[in-house]
Amino acid sequence: MKRTCKQLLAISLLCCAFVAQAQLKPNDIIAANTLFADYGCAGCHDFSSKLVGPSLQEIAQRYKGKKDTVKIANVIRLGGQGQWGELAHPANEGIEKQNATLLAKWILSGAKQN
Ligand code: HEC
């Protein structure tokens, strides 16, 4: 019994370490907030209320636990439609791939503000 407890503890510690590693670094969070403002995302998306598009919280909630960074980065760059309602997401190919990926990771991990 004791041994099982120790094993469980070890497993949960490993999980914590893994989750911590998946989190964005403070500099990435600052960069993502800047991109979000600079690319006009904030005109259609709020952190917690629905505007033209879904709130960042809703998006993070819907994709929780799924590995959808690539898919979401593509919507941010190339546009998308039909996932949340009638309105389409505009394409914005001026965003570099790596910045779209950073925005996607930031949103999916809960969109922390600075
Ligand atoms: C003109 C308004 C508008 C702008 C600007 C805009 N969005 Fe959107 N966004 C939308 C709409 C509308 C949807 C819902 C699309 C749908 O139903 O598939 C959406 C959906 C999304 C989704 C969820 C995609 C999915 O498939 O579930 C993400 C993530 C997102 N937007 C991020 C961004 C980011 C990051 C920016 C800035 C680079 C941005 N949006 C700029 C209107 C906008």
Side-chain angles (χ1 to χ4, degrees):
M1 189 60 181
K2 257 192 170 170
R3 196 166 159 204
T4 317
C5 280
K6 272 188 190 160
Q7 281 172 339
L8 276 177
L9 188 66
I11 290 169
S12 32
L13 283 177
L14 270 176
C15 289
C16 287
F18 183 73
V19 168
Q21 215 176 29
Q23 277 172 359
L24 291 176
K25 298 190 186 91
N27 276 349
D28 290 334
I29 293 173
I30 293 169
N33 275 278
T34 307
L35 290 169
F36 187 73
D38 287 356
Y39 282 111
C41 316
C44 290
H45 295 283
D46 181 51
F47 287 84
S48 53
S49 330
K50 182 178 163 36
L51 298 179
V52 178
S55 74
L56 300 186
Q57 271 177 10
E58 278 180 290
I59 299 170
Q61 194 62 39
R62 177 180 292 190
Y63 294 101
K64 205 173 181 178
K66 298 184 189 148
K67 295 196 172 88
D68 280 321
T69 310
V70 173
K71 177 182 144 182
I72 293 300
N74 279 335
V75 172
I76 292 171
R77 276 186 66 240
L78 309 174
Q81 194 170 10
Q83 303 303 310
W84 298 85
E86 302 286 302
L87 294 170
H89 194 274
N92 199 337
E93 292 184 46
I95 302 182
E96 284 174 35
K97 261 193 182 171
Q98 65 181 52
N99 285 340
T101 303
L102 175 60
L103 278 166
K105 280 188 189 161
W106 172 68
I107 293 171
L108 294 178
S109 67
K112 284 213 184 80
Q113 285 172 277
N114 294 325

